[in-house]
Amino acid sequence: MTPSALKAEILRLTREYSRLTHTANRPGDNAAHAAFIPGQTTVPYAGRVFNEDEVEAAVSATLDFWLTLGPEGEAMERELAEFMGVKHSLLVNSGSSANLVAFSALTTHKLPEHKRIRPGDEVITVAAGFPTTVSPIIQCGAVPVFIDAKPLTGNADCSLLEAAYSPGKTKAVMMAHALGNPFDLAVVLAFCNKHDLWLIEDNCDALGCTYTLPVELARELGLDHLLKIAEKGEHPIIRFSELKTENLKLLTAPTGAFGDISTQSFYPPHHLTMGEGGAVNIVRKPPLKTYAESFRDWGRDCWCASGKDDTCGKRFQWQLGELPEGYDHKYIYSHMGFNLKPLDTQAAIGRVQIKRLPAFIEARKQNWERLRRGLHGLEQYIDFALPTHATAWNPPSEESSKLQVPSSNFSWDESGCRTDCSWFGFKITIKEDAPFTRTELAAHLDEKKIGNRRLFGGNLVRQPAFVQLKRDNPEAFRVIDCSSANPQSAIHNPQSLLPGADRIMKQTMFLGTYPGLTPEMIDYMVQVIREFAAARAGGAGV
Ligand SMILES: Cc1ncc(COP(=O)(O)O)c(C=O)c1O
């Protein structure tokens, strides 16, 4: 057999093996998905969703044995950047690495002094969420300034932004689109523009979310890069639409394409997976790519792709630092860098997953809606998540409830902005006066084999790492007193500067919306929760 015939045979067998063994990992709407037995089959909150295509891609790239980031990686970076509508995407080995690289890029001495983030400078972030949105700020010697989160959206209470701003010290805003719910980009961008701050969007949980705003507002906010793409009319997501009732022209674009730099995670629960993996998106300022790449790749000054030499055409003509003239550019280091690249095999898997992304995003939306409809009526016990800018979820009319593909119907605020959530999870907050607690419900769901999670670290400043940090250095971070802008929330919980984050910590959890869930699984989740609530309420009203 020739090597290529041998490879083809290996790949044929690989596909056959995967078809037989990975049935539980297929998309929930795939006819070959493993059968579901209520109470016996675990209903994961998230996980890898793939079929024989990903397994074949992984084996094929492994047989090619490029190993380090190479042709598959370069192709995936291009494909991801295209999907996002950004200048460049750089692959890294995790979402946490992406945050570290993105933030580090903004500390480079190559930036003008007033834009460079220096030790002691402040960065505004949100108290509730995942720790590695915040840790790069501390790792780079800057000071996180925490504002409160709103339990209903999971996102920042943007009315606190001005209170968090210190003239001459604040250099950036770095926050996540919580659980696939975009934060108020219009307000955050206006704030960043007003004070000339960087915006780092942690888009790790929000790939495929979109944000819509009036075109006039997009112009005011300087979103020319998105307006230009929309004008061409070729991008599947970045486009214009019209709100006929208000005679308003709107622009829609993916979250992660609005700020200066944004990040993705490709860990299995996320919208697409490479096993471990992530990406840094350079939205529009090309030099940031070189800085981010340098931090990702050992801190080197050279930007040659792996296996290539002399891309700059003057490899032996540089004189930098105190090195002798002509020192090999490949070994000149302009930053204290890391090595955070993934393998090419991971990128090969990611490329197949990118093709599935539109279907994955749609499945997450539909799964959220099926859960929301199923749990309608429990509002007396549960605060259900609302997309940012939505004011209410409207139950379906009889006609629309008969449709095969459920789509959500929300009422919206007056801003003219809208969000379309590619939900990471189905977030619920148990009311204080419900006949059960969040922890009791979580334990019951565990017993019934239904995966559930907390909104990650809850109020981060109460985590041991942050408590210790403050003990070691009382100046290490600042917390903005939520009563400075919201006297009412302080009345709600006078013990806490961050009552929203505390409520999330104590009463919020989420269930799965991932594309591997089947309708039977979701209906089972609904049934278990309804029965539990009914039993706790003494059988009344559910
Ligand atoms: C908002 C957010 N940022 C960053 C990360 C880190 O991603 P990774 O697990 O790939 O390091 C996560 C993890 O889920 C996350 O939820």
Side-chain angles (χ1 to χ4, degrees):
M1 255 185 172
T2 62
S4 66
L6 198 53
K7 183 176 177 188
E9 182 58 7
I10 291 168
L11 296 181
R12 188 187 67 74
L13 288 169
T14 298
R15 293 182 70 84
E16 203 174 312
Y17 172 81
S18 179
R19 264 196 294 271
L20 288 173
T21 53
H22 296 136
T23 51
N25 302 95
R26 284 170 180 270
D29 62 358
N30 186 301
H33 193 285
F36 170 63
I37 307 167
Q40 286 186 34
T41 316
T42 299
V43 181
Y45 89 96
R48 305 156 294 154
V49 179
F50 62 92
N51 69 19
E52 58 272 23
D53 297 338
E54 280 85 346
V55 184
E56 177 186 350
V59 171
S60 175
T62 304
L63 291 173
D64 294 347
F65 223 60
W66 184 281
L67 291 187
T68 183
L69 205 55
E72 295 288 348
E74 276 172 34
M76 182 166 171
E77 288 181 342
R78 266 195 317 276
E79 288 157 6
L80 183 65
E82 245 164 61
F83 178 89
M84 299 287 302
V86 298
K87 270 267 175 281
H88 301 286
S89 292
L90 288 180
L91 288 180
V92 289
N93 61 4
S94 74
S96 304
S97 299
N99 282 341
L100 182 58
V101 167
F103 192 86
S104 299
L106 305 178
T107 67
T108 176
H109 58 275
K110 298 189 179 198
L111 283 167
E113 196 49 39
H114 71 287
K115 293 301 287 174
R116 180 182 179 193
I117 303 178
R118 296 275 221 152
D121 283 341
E122 294 190 350
V123 177
I124 299 171
T125 189
V126 185
F130 199 80
T132 58
T133 309
V134 178
S135 44
I137 304 171
I138 296 159
Q139 285 153 346
C140 291
V143 177
V145 177
F146 289 102
I147 59 173
D148 204 10
K150 290 181 167 176
L152 223 48
T153 60
N155 284 316
D157 179 346
C158 291
S159 64
L160 295 164
L161 285 170
E162 286 293 350
Y165 177 70
S166 309
K169 274 189 150 186
T170 311
K171 290 283 175 68
V173 173
M174 181 167 187
M175 51 174 79
H177 298 290
L179 288 184
N181 190 2
F183 57 74
D184 188 337
L185 274 160
V187 165
V188 174
L189 270 173
F191 173 76
C192 288
N193 288 352
K194 176 177 167 197
H195 297 295
D196 193 16
L197 308 177
W198 297 109
L199 174 58
I200 307 152
E201 288 175 77
D202 179 335
N203 202 42
C204 285
D205 297 343
L207 184 58
C209 291
T210 61
Y211 193 86
T212 298
L213 73 174
V215 164
E216 268 317 299
L217 180 57
R219 269 202 197 103
E220 272 169 40
L221 293 172
L223 296 172
D224 300 352
H225 62 298
L226 297 175
L227 291 164
K228 265 191 214 144
I229 298 175
E231 268 150 27
K232 280 196 194 147
E234 290 164 5
H235 196 278
I237 302 173
I238 304 174
R239 55 191 153 70
F240 294 126
S241 61
E242 243 173 274
L243 195 59
K244 293 239 166 59
T245 47
E246 324 242 326
N247 202 16
L248 203 60
K249 196 170 174 195
L250 302 169
L251 169 73
T252 296
T255 56
F258 285 78
D260 296 288
I261 197 161
S262 67
T263 58
Q264 306 298 153
S265 166
F266 302 135
Y267 191 63
H270 294 255
H271 296 65
L272 71 80
T273 191
M274 299 163 49
E276 299 286 353
V280 178
N281 303 306
I282 312 300
V283 176
R284 73 203 117 166
K285 298 189 174 95
L288 290 183
K289 176 190 181 240
T290 321
Y291 311 150
E293 218 164 20
S294 171
F295 279 99
R296 182 192 67 172
D297 304 348
W298 307 280
R300 66 185 182 157
D301 202 74
C302 158
W303 55 89
C304 286
S306 149
K308 300 221 171 83
D309 291 335
D310 205 23
T311 312
C312 63
K314 44 179 193 169
R315 179 175 169 191
F316 299 111
Q317 290 159 44
W318 291 87
Q319 195 286 307
L320 293 172
E322 294 176 8
L323 293 168
E325 191 160 351
Y327 197 81
D328 187 348
H329 194 218
K330 248 189 182 330
Y331 294 98
I332 296 182
Y333 302 94
S334 41
H335 299 114
M336 298 297 167
F338 316 98
N339 176 6
L340 301 172
K341 295 190 293 298
L343 301 178
D344 215 38
T345 302
Q346 290 167 271
I349 301 167
R351 291 188 68 200
V352 182
Q353 291 263 299
I354 284 191
K355 292 199 193 105
R356 298 196 198 286
L357 205 43
F360 282 173
I361 292 165
E362 192 50 40
R364 284 179 180 272
K365 291 177 188 174
Q366 284 181 29
N367 291 345
W368 190 92
E369 182 64 16
R370 195 176 182 100
L371 276 165
R372 186 63 188 87
R373 288 182 184 195
L375 295 173
H376 178 43
L378 295 186
E379 287 81 358
Q380 53 186 317
Y381 309 133
I382 296 173
D383 286 332
F384 293 97
L386 270 183
T388 296
H389 294 301
T391 52
W393 171 83
N394 302 312
S397 63
E398 274 208 11
E399 248 164 64
S400 70
S401 61
K402 286 186 203 128
L403 295 175
Q404 278 284 328
V405 179
S407 69
S408 297
N409 175 12
F410 296 102
S411 303
W412 299 97
D413 67 19
E414 302 287 299
S415 65
C417 303
R418 305 275 188 274
T419 51
D420 192 6
C421 300
S422 169
W423 297 101
F424 186 88
F426 188 85
K427 185 169 76 60
I428 54 178
T429 302
I430 309 304
K431 290 192 194 247
E432 283 82 352
D433 57 359
F436 52 90
T437 64
R438 184 268 317 267
T439 305
E440 287 166 350
L441 176 59
H444 182 73
L445 291 171
D446 255 16
E447 237 171 68
K448 298 286 179 186
K449 295 186 182 284
I450 296 173
N452 61 90
R453 290 289 186 272
R454 304 287 150 95
L455 207 169
F456 310 125
N459 183 347
L460 292 176
V461 303
R462 296 195 188 274
Q463 288 283 346
F466 287 84
V467 171
Q468 188 60 43
L469 186 70
K470 194 79 171 173
R471 233 175 249 151
D472 293 344
N473 172 13
E475 318 277 285
F477 61 84
R478 287 204 296 127
V479 172
I480 299 306
D481 181 352
C482 126
S483 64
S484 54
N486 299 323
Q488 278 168 2
S489 354
I491 291 162
H492 172 69
N493 184 352
Q495 265 80 48
S496 173
L497 299 181
L498 300 164
D502 276 341
R503 184 155 191 253
I504 288 171
M505 175 182 69
K506 290 185 189 144
Q507 279 149 274
T508 296
M509 61 189 288
F510 70 91
L511 308 164
T513 51
Y514 88 110
L517 294 175
T518 64
E520 296 76 34
M521 287 172 169
I522 295 176
D523 294 346
Y524 171 69
M525 289 155 81
V526 165
Q527 184 198 334
V528 167
I529 295 171
R530 294 194 80 94
E531 284 175 1
F532 176 77
R536 289 304 181 104
V542 289

